[in-house]
Amino acid sequence: MPRTTFRAPRALLATTATAALAVATALTTATTPAAAAPTAETGTTQTTSGFWACSVPSGYTYTSSRSSYTCSGGSSYRTTEFYVQPPADGLWACTTMPGYTHTGVMSSYTCSAGGSYTTNQFLLKKPVTGMWACSVPSGFTYTASQQNHTCSGGASYTTTQFLLQAL
């Protein structure tokens, strides 16, 4: 038998196996929920309670966003997906949350859905008396203030921090 007789079936098998692997990978990727937040340059806290969603439900925040076709209803345009997580002490989040204050602000691309612009991320903290914070949450007042760069997101200007006192 000529040697080429054996090469044609091997090539066909290799092509079929590659295609089957690609389909299996695509199906697995599409149906498997995310287990942890994507690693970002911002050092976003990772937890197993997060998931990718087309909107952010009430009472939750998001720690990352991306542009994709997943939430566009089969259309040919890209929309934003959010990595949704419950608020937690020490979480770098894309939004501030009721019941929390923030003690730091960081400018990054993580919350801009892959855009070419930066947005702010906020270091969420449960407020307590004696804490320096970037905002005064409900149920608190402040007894002192100071100007620094901690709450300005890396900008060249200073912003005010507040020394919290529970009411």
Side-chain angles (χ1 to χ4, degrees), residues 55-167:
S55 64
V56 181
S58 178
Y60 286 79
T61 187
Y62 67 102
T63 57
S64 184
S65 63
R66 65 185 178 192
S67 179
S68 75
Y69 296 103
T70 303
C71 300
S72 65
S75 297
S76 60
Y77 60 89
R78 297 169 75 92
T79 58
T80 302
E81 276 186 279
F82 305 93
Y83 195 79
V84 176
Q85 291 186 248
D89 197 57
L91 180 72
W92 280 101
C94 299
T95 60
T96 58
M97 294 298 300
Y100 288 83
T101 188
H102 59 287
T103 58
V105 177
M106 175 173 37
S107 182
S108 76
Y109 295 95
T110 303
C111 300
S112 65
S116 59
Y117 57 92
T118 60
T119 58
N120 287 335
Q121 281 189 287
F122 307 93
L123 182 57
L124 300 181
K125 292 286 187 174
K126 279 288 194 184
V128 295
T129 296
M131 169 191 287
W132 285 100
C134 300
S135 64
V136 181
S138 178
F140 284 80
T141 188
Y142 64 98
T143 57
S145 64
Q146 64 184 10
Q147 295 289 314
N148 60 35
H149 295 280
T150 303
C151 301
S152 65
S156 60
Y157 57 86
T158 61
T159 56
T160 304
Q161 270 192 308
F162 306 94
L163 185 59
L164 300 182
Q165 173 68 49
L167 297 176

Side-chain angles (χ1 to χ4, degrees), residues 34-40 44-52 63-64 83 85 91:
T39 303
T44 302
T45 302
Q46 294 186 6
T47 66
T48 57
S49 61
F51 56 93
W52 285 102
T63 57
S64 184
Y83 195 79
Q85 291 186 248
L91 180 72

